[in-house]
Amino acid sequence: MRAVVQTVSQAAVTVDDETVGEISDGLLVLVGVTHDDTADDAAAMARKIWELRIMDGERSASDLGAPILVVSQFTLYADTRKGRRPSWGAAAPGPVAEPLVEAVIASLRELGAKVETGRFGAMMLVSSINVGPRTIILER
């Protein structure tokens, strides 16, 4: 499992001209799932995201009660070592990935996070205003 975590002053996800998730002063998190990820990996990733000291003053989202916008992102597992066309073979298929992305979201909520989301499998427009910019790549 991989996640790209960015501090944002604003972030939103739009699907078919409808805003489906939106936050201010929090974290935008893109989550990718590979074939051998488990529910335990999802819970561990959620804890890492929630406690990551990436916010102002070396504080975490948990310290500040900052909201989190989680967006599924299979392209985090792109293989670009050969040629110009990425291979998606390392990305888990939707029926495997969706429950694990949902498990990350559920685990974040259990930890106390206010979580907004994109829509799995949809063509999403993701907008953000990065702060810092601060971007961290997490792997499990």
Side-chain angles (χ1 to χ4, degrees), residues 36-47:
D36 59 355
D37 286 334
T38 66
D40 287 340
D41 293 326
M45 180 62 78
R47 181 166 296 284

Side-chain angles (χ1 to χ4, degrees), residues 3-140:
V4 175
V5 181
Q6 297 180 311
T7 55
V8 296
S9 62
Q10 295 176 18
V13 178
T14 304
V15 177
D16 296 329
D17 295 323
E18 173 194 356
T19 299
V20 296
E22 185 173 26
I23 63 164
S24 295
D25 299 319
L27 300 177
L28 170 60
V29 181
L30 309 176
V31 176
V33 177
T34 194
H35 301 280
D36 59 355
D37 286 334
T38 66
D40 287 340
D41 293 326
M45 180 62 78
R47 181 166 296 284
K48 273 186 165 185
I49 292 164
W50 186 231
E51 296 177 353
L52 183 65
R53 297 187 165 282
I54 191 176
M55 308 290 286
D56 287 340
E58 294 186 12
R59 292 176 290 180
S60 66
S62 68
D63 294 334
L64 300 171
I68 301 172
L69 175 58
V70 176
V71 179
S72 62
Q73 186 78 3
F74 76 93
T75 61
L76 292 180
Y77 277 98
D79 183 350
T80 59
R81 290 176 289 180
K82 287 184 168 180
R84 296 174 292 153
R85 181 179 300 149
S87 166
W88 311 114
V96 173
E98 185 173 14
L100 291 172
V101 172
E102 291 298 324
V104 170
I105 293 163
S107 292
L108 282 166
R109 288 179 174 147
E110 287 173 13
L111 291 167
K114 177 187 178 291
V115 182
E116 294 280 323
T117 67
R119 188 171 295 154
F120 191 91
M123 176 55 74
M124 296 178 276
L125 299 177
V126 181
S127 63
S128 66
I129 300 175
N130 295 41
V131 175
R134 289 177 287 226
T135 302
I136 303 286
I137 299 170
L138 300 177
E139 291 200 64
R140 226 10 243 147

